[in-house]
Amino acid sequence: MHPIPTLEEKISKVDIISCATLSKTPLVLGKYLKPGQHIDLVGAYKPDMREADDDTIKKASVFIDTYQGGLKESGDIFIPLQSGVLKEKDIKADLFELCSNQKSGRKNIEEITLFKSVGHSLEDLTAATYYYNKFKNE
């Protein structure tokens, strides 16, 4: 692996974009996205932080870990909701709805999907349980 000088040169060449930053300025710019990409935003957990710009939010089918935290804790969702770029009804599902098959995820291979996590403890518990069960008898 080696660092790249700019995100712009690579963002349209990858299938999955994952961000875990404390950025207050969007790093993922919608103008560089291509059909079928998935954007995973796990950083920028405060209302004044952003990893993705408005164009990304407009282009993507948006999923969040929880409505309770996702709508107010992260600027990636909070700011577009406040400005009208995103409506609450436009959010496709939360993690609970996806995992219980109440709602479905990606509809087709061309769809750009975005998952925003604000760090709900269910995600940590699920990972811990998985690895505990996997290694407890070794």
Side-chain angles (χ1 to χ4, degrees):
M1 290 196 2
H2 59 305
I4 57 172
T6 65
L7 291 174
E8 292 83 7
E9 71 183 65
K10 293 290 183 180
I11 203 166
S12 64
K13 296 177 181 172
V14 298
D15 294 325
I16 299 172
I17 300 163
S18 188
C19 290
T21 74
L22 300 176
S23 182
K24 291 191 178 202
T25 306
L27 304 168
V28 178
L29 306 178
K31 67 182 177 181
Y32 298 112
L33 297 178
K34 69 176 183 173
Q37 283 180 309
H38 175 71
I39 300 112
D40 179 47
L41 305 176
V42 299
Y45 57 90
K46 293 182 181 177
D48 64 338
M49 296 175 157
R50 289 198 73 179
E51 293 178 313
D53 69 354
D54 286 348
D55 196 28
T56 299
I57 300 298
K58 289 179 194 175
K59 287 182 174 185
S61 294
V62 177
F63 301 86
I64 58 179
D65 59 356
T66 67
Y67 290 107
Q68 182 180 6
L71 298 178
K72 61 185 178 189
E73 291 180 23
S74 169
D76 284 312
I77 303 299
F78 179 74
I79 293 169
L81 283 171
Q82 294 299 304
S83 68
V85 166
L86 179 68
K87 305 265 187 267
E88 190 172 334
K89 67 178 178 64
D90 295 330
I91 297 172
K92 303 296 184 193
D94 72 0
L95 189 57
F96 298 97
E97 292 167 325
L98 289 169
C99 291
S100 65
N101 292 320
Q102 292 176 30
K103 294 187 179 177
S104 60
R106 181 182 294 272
K107 304 279 189 233
N108 62 66
I109 62 171
E110 297 294 307
E111 183 178 16
I112 296 171
T113 54
L114 181 148
F115 180 75
K116 176 60 193 172
S117 171
V118 292
H120 190 275
S121 61
L122 175 64
E123 297 160 27
D124 298 332
L125 178 61
T126 301
T129 300
Y130 171 81
Y131 284 104
Y132 172 78
N133 288 330
K134 183 174 180 171
F135 295 109
K136 71 180 177 183
N137 294 325
E138 288 188 13

